[in-house]
Amino acid sequence: MDAFLTSRPVADILGGLTNGVIYSLVALSLVLIWRSTRILNFAQGAMAMLAAYVGFAILAPTTNYWISMGVAVVAGIVLGGLTERTIVRALYGKPEINPVVAMVGFLLVLESVAAAIWSTVSRSLPTPFSIVDWQLRGRPVAMSPFALYEVVTAVVVMVVIAVVFQFTRVGLQLRAAALNPEVSRLLGVRVHRMLTVGWMLASGVGAITAVLVASNYFTGLTPTTMDGVFAFGFIAAAIGGLDSPVGALVSGVALGIAFQFVGDYLNSNAIILVALGLLIVSLMVRPNGVFTRRAQRRV
Amino acid sequence: MIGVSGLSVSYGAVQALRDVSFSAAPGKITTVLGANGAGKTTLLRTISGLVRPRAGEVTLEGDRITGTHAEDIVRRGVGHVPEGRGVIAEFTVEENLRLGSLIVRRSRAERQAAFERLYGQFPVLGERRRQSAGTLSGGERQMLAMARALVAEPRVLLLDEPSLGLAPLVTAELMSTISQLCATTGLTVILVEQNAKSALRIADQAVVLYIGRVVADDRAEVVAADERLRQYYLGLVE
Amino acid sequence: MRQRVLVSSVVGVALVIAALDATFGVPTTRLRVALALLGALGVAALGGLSVARTRRDHPLVTRVLVTVVVVVIALVATARLSSNVDTDVAIGAAMTIVLLGLSFLTGSSGQISLGNGAFMGVGAFTVAIWANHHATSPLILVLVLAVAAGAAVGFLLGLPATRLRGPYLAGMTLAFAVAFGAVLNVFGSWTGGDSGLQLPNAENAPRWLVHLYPASTASLSVNSVWLAALSVVSAGVALLLMANLFASRFGRAMRLVRDNDVAAELVGISLPRARVVAFVVSAAYAALGGALWTVVNNAVTPSTYGLALSITILSLVVIGGIGTIPGAIIGGLIYAFANSLIGWITTHTGLNPQGNVASQLNGIIFGVLLVATIVFAPMGISGALRRLWAHRSR
Ligand SMILES: Nc1ncnc2c1ncn2[C@@H]1O[C@H](COP(=O)(O)OP(=O)(O)OP(=O)(O)O)[C@@H](O)[C@H]1O
Ligand SMILES: [Mg+2]
């Protein structure tokens, strides 16, 4: 049993799970925004990165981790709301590439501003739990207290989001506004406000994700910390279906584990290639799972 | 009590309503009739605030509501069952009702009691409360749409072609439900219908639109008896 | 039409001289004249080619003439510039080619790509790798190889593009841009890994050009004139081909695809084929631009061809005017002089040129301009100019 738990495949699965939940969270943020506003938020990762800087670079480095995390989340929420109210709102009803371009531009602004203020030098974030793997009879298990904390946090975030959407008044309105804005208005739902709330929620999730990502000892927090993670999160969301939160979560974890095996048995450079290949193949083979909206497009 | 005066609405170059005036009294059913494209849907959408008129105004119990957002007009007691029913297919029956009762402050128990009353009135909905609304039949969806509007206890109910696609028997049932509601609660009903015959049977007042203009506004019996109206505008030729 | 070109050239010269004098206080008359001519180039192309694009009865001769005039003006201008400016012109002209490609993709199919920086990289590395194995190949062969490599990669990525729409395609090309660095690393023994490759021989000016200059002229500056001329002529050829493509039956068909898929299918256009072709053309153009960069810089580094470059390309196209030929030219001019402009801003605002802010100014300005353009003037500078023009001639 112990030998099994410390074996290479199990280590890959555990390591993959830790990365995978991160991709799931990114994908979840993308899906939240896509479902309500039909916009693929290319600035998602950069917004999250900025929020992490606010929590961990503006406050003194000695600040309690949880306070910093809280500040980052609040910053993310505020940034999400502001973005929707200013840039995004001007682009509803425009050709679908306009918001894509705008968010790409916003990504560039955010990354440059962060680099201008905090430089591109990586800074390491404090961690609330040990990052040293647990040992079983002197052999490491591929899971540390911090990694477990990452997984648990991700699960908690997902459960909270699910509960909010499924069981609360605001969740009901968020879903209704996304499904049928006009009928929702007739029933008293403030649709515009709901779109803002959707962006705020997604960016809050993003902020938590960025803090978890940047706590990684090897990357740390840099203005481009989230670029690669965003690409993987997008791939997870696209494979799972941009309309499907559950699809996003499942494919995020599945990709995380698959990549870990690829990196371990092949080459870590091959991961992104495999990811790109998977994306292309899945888009070619299962277009229905991915562009469910196509059939409903107006002529 | 709804008052409409001098209402004009355009969609770009298309003028959908021209100088429309009439009023709808509480406890009465006012039916709005007219051919396809006459402007009936536009009229209801303007009353509930989805469309901004170019000129004229709508009053609710004497207060001007033109220019108020749709989200606020419904809070002032104007329920609108839109054309094509607008139930949210992905929601369960009960979620649709919860959406309808958003704007009323109620405790959970009061809300559940209100739902139960409606389930009493529309038993099919009670049986299917956990099913998604997309699985309901056309008639059942119509009932759900009505129930969803009623759960907010409106003072005014705007109904856009509720009989669309329903069997004659079901239509008759629906019409009697509407007139009962109206009589017992003092609700103001504005009923838009293609099916002039059954609408005129239960209505107190009838307004006939023709290419965006009011061509008749009189008691329902009078309109029903007017050969000229029946023939040219309502297509009721025996 | 000819009047329009003439008038716009004159207006362009005047505007550019005035603007440059007012802002930079340009030191030498030579530089002033040269810059003015460059401005005229942009505006003339704007006036001439925007007509050629839309009027199919417009004779090929005119398009050729306009292009030749534009290229000659640019050549004369570069022959008189300092070698720093020559390099800017060379880099900018190569960028114009890339922008033309992306403009074609967007203008004809309504799609955007975040992978054109990586397609440039494909061309850039093709040149470097080839040159390291076959030191004496003629330049034209190397460029053709680079274009072919770009087209091949574009075809591979274009296949899924046939089934994808806006945001998905953008996402997929973004993944490609991110993946490109990893690809280079996987083939590190060929690509030189993180440090990239040097070319074994620099591209030198041919003898006849050297003879045109006084013997005292440093060979370095003659070489930079040659490189600028090379880029400008390549851009001219690319421009001419593109103007023809836009005006051809195929180009018109593609615009139909952009405006209405369903209508296009009804009149018998194969959508998948049209999309793949647009993608391949845009990738091939990008590869040519990248190949020229390698020739001009005499080296290639992988970090140049990251996501940031792709985003810069997109911003230039959008700011210049998305989906139009004049827009691509304006974008190329902006790129050519962006560094000088940013340097000027840095010195005049007293920023520390080595500081964080100065080094990020580029990104901040392009990002803000990109967002502002798409929100306030989605058709970019060329769209705004065209509207002005239409207004005046009414
Ligand atoms: N959004 C819109 N944009 C442009 N024109 C519209 C729009 N909505 C309605 N119209 C036009 O306004 C006129 C009135 O339309 P309206 O939907 O109010 O008619 P209606 O009486 O409800 O018809 P029906 O009985 O077929 O439902 C029609 O000519 C219609 O084409
Ligand atoms: Mg109607």
Side-chain angles (χ1 to χ4, degrees), chain B residues 11 14 16 34-43 83 160-161 192 194:
Chain B
Y11 299 105
V14 183
N36 291 122
K40 308 178 297 291
T41 299
T42 305
L43 176 63
E83 196 169 19
D160 199 340
E161 303 201 22
V192 160
Q194 282 289 332

Side-chain angles (χ1 to χ4, degrees), chain A residues 40 42 96-98 100-102 104-109 112 115-116 119 234 242 269 272-273 280 283-284 287 290-291 297, chain C residues 110 112 160 163-168 170-172 175 179 182-183 185-186 261 311 356 360 363-364 367-368 370-371 374-375:
Chain A
L40 187 57
F42 278 92
E96 66 184 349
I97 61 165
N98 289 25
V100 171
V101 173
V104 169
F106 194 46
L107 158 83
L108 187 58
V109 174
S112 314
S119 92
F234 165 76
L242 277 175
N269 278 316
I272 179 82
L273 288 179
I280 291 175
L283 291 181
M284 299 282 285
V290 188
F291 31 108
R297 262 180 56 226
Chain C
I112 61 166
R163 310 181 75 163
L164 302 185
R165 291 190 49 79
Y168 284 99
M172 189 202 73
V183 180
N185 260 322
V186 171
D261 297 2
I311 298 181
N356 283 334
Q360 297 303 324
I364 297 176
V368 169
L370 181 55
V371 175
I374 207 77
V375 171

